Amino acid sequence: MRNEELADLVRQGGPYRGKAVFELVDRARDDNEAATRLGELSRLPALREDRLFHVVSLAWAAIIGLLSAETPHARGIAYAAFAALDAGDQADFLAYVKVERIEDSHPRI
């Protein structure tokens, strides 16, 4: 599937939303468009509210995936997506990835 088709699956919801996000995460290291789409998708209320477990949302998974891509483009998108989270979500996110600043997070997935 093309990135656009995966993003449409995410927007539509349903059982393949998570798989589509993780496919875009897999592509983000080598595909700037996939990274950009992940950043856009992370702002969707549905992804922010869709909790994978405890406080970890699908939006967080997208941001963590962008950070783990370790490219300047993907990390810039991740920083912007993180900044778009509300303050409580930001604090919980930083605690989850065990850093004080988003720039210090280098997760491996």
Side-chain angles (χ1 to χ4, degrees), residues 4-103:
E4 181 179 335
E5 293 169 312
L6 291 167
D8 286 343
L9 276 177
V10 174
R11 286 186 201 96
Q12 292 168 10
Y16 299 108
R17 178 175 34 208
K19 289 182 182 217
V21 167
F22 288 108
E23 178 60 30
L24 289 168
V25 164
D26 287 345
R27 296 177 183 188
R29 176 167 293 152
D30 301 315
D31 184 343
N32 285 344
E33 185 207 355
T36 299
R37 288 194 186 271
L38 273 174
E40 293 166 359
L41 293 169
S42 73
R43 289 167 171 76
L44 294 175
L47 264 66
R48 290 184 178 186
E49 296 163 7
D50 189 356
R51 301 293 170 176
L52 298 173
F53 57 91
H54 191 51
V55 296
V56 178
S57 68
L58 205 45
W60 285 22
I63 296 168
I64 289 169
L66 288 164
L67 292 168
S68 71
E70 291 290 350
T71 68
H73 179 77
R75 288 192 67 87
I77 297 291
Y79 299 156
F82 172 80
L85 296 173
D86 66 44
D89 235 9
Q90 287 180 359
D92 289 343
F93 182 96
L94 293 175
Y96 179 74
V97 296
K98 299 179 176 135
V99 295
E100 291 184 22
R101 301 174 331 124
I102 188 68
E103 296 83 3

